Amino acid sequence: MNEKNIIKFLSKKIFIILLFFTPTAFAECNFKTGEYIEELANPSYIKKIEINVPNYRKYIINFVKIKAQHSKVIPTSLKKTFKSKIKVIYPFGTCEYTGKIKQHGDRTLDHITFNNSKPLRSLGVRLKDGNIMNAVRFKLFLPATRNFTNEILGALVLKEMGFIVPETFEVKVSLNNVESIM
């Protein structure tokens, strides 16, 4: 075998090996993501994040247990993880992810509240497949925990001054049809 044939033979073998071991953990988008690379990296294009917790009953029971605590601090034992489906809606389409959500924050007064008698809380989100703006983990805070838009303004000022700051922006969120801004 000459050198050219050896390279051809090896490249076919490597392709077949990669074909079987390539992970299939990607988000399902109803548009060609390659055509919207710049828009996907810009938070202003996110119209809404919809989170659906299939086991919503247990999620609500967990919320009630946290709210019923006499302590001002949320016990770690009540910061349960719930499987969820996350959908990000853009003007040009939607992407769906599987992931997990978890109670975030320490103080009940800061991270647990009601919106029109519907439960709201700060959440830690972990995506199992895909990413949103290159993040597979992110936090959705209730606005009051971050002094409403003051943190966003502060982050923008620091970023403009050249400091490294986390990506901070306001987004509409729907958690099992409970709408809020986070």
Side-chain angles (χ1 to χ4, degrees):
M1 264 187 168
N2 65 17
E3 192 175 306
K4 194 174 188 179
N5 288 339
I6 292 172
I7 292 172
K8 248 187 197 179
F9 175 76
L10 288 176
S11 65
K12 286 180 183 178
K13 293 288 186 192
I14 291 171
F15 176 75
I16 291 170
I17 290 170
L18 289 176
L19 186 66
F20 287 111
F21 292 107
T22 304
T24 57
F26 296 112
E28 291 185 28
C29 298
N30 63 4
F31 58 92
K32 292 182 180 180
T33 56
E35 295 176 5
Y36 296 96
I37 295 293
E38 289 183 25
E39 291 86 347
L40 291 171
N42 187 340
S44 65
Y45 283 96
I46 298 175
K47 289 173 64 176
K48 187 183 205 181
I49 297 176
E50 291 181 358
I51 301 173
N52 183 26
V53 180
N55 202 342
Y56 195 60
R57 183 175 180 272
K58 282 189 178 180
Y59 177 82
I60 292 299
I61 289 170
N62 180 254
F63 180 89
V64 170
K65 284 181 181 178
I66 292 171
K67 200 68 174 156
Q69 291 291 311
H70 295 293
S71 172
K72 292 181 181 180
V73 177
I74 301 169
T76 307
S77 62
L78 291 179
K79 293 182 180 182
K80 305 278 186 198
T81 302
F82 297 92
K83 291 180 181 178
S84 58
K85 297 283 184 187
I86 297 112
K87 183 189 290 187
V88 180
I89 301 169
Y90 300 98
F92 42 84
T94 62
C95 291
E96 294 184 21
Y97 309 86
T98 57
K100 295 179 180 181
I101 61 169
K102 183 178 181 177
Q103 171 66 49
H104 184 75
D106 293 326
R107 293 181 39 90
T108 309
L109 295 172
D110 295 337
H111 296 281
I112 300 278
T113 190
F114 289 97
N115 182 13
N116 296 329
S117 72
K118 294 183 180 176
L120 285 177
R121 56 171 132 177
S122 295
L123 297 171
V125 179
R126 183 178 200 163
L127 300 177
K128 185 177 178 183
D129 54 359
N131 65 72
I132 301 170
M133 295 176 48
N134 294 323
V136 293
R137 290 182 182 185
F138 55 92
K139 307 294 185 217
L140 294 172
F141 288 106
L142 296 175
T145 62
R146 296 298 186 201
N147 207 5
F148 299 93
T149 56
N150 290 340
E151 180 168 332
I152 297 169
L153 179 63
L156 288 172
V157 168
L158 289 172
K159 189 175 186 178
E160 198 62 34
M161 293 171 63
F163 288 94
I164 298 172
V165 294
E167 189 69 52
T168 306
F169 58 92
E170 194 174 76
V171 66
K172 289 181 185 177
V173 176
S174 172
L175 180 81
N176 282 43
N177 298 321
V178 178
E179 304 274 332
S180 66
I181 300 288
M182 297 184 121

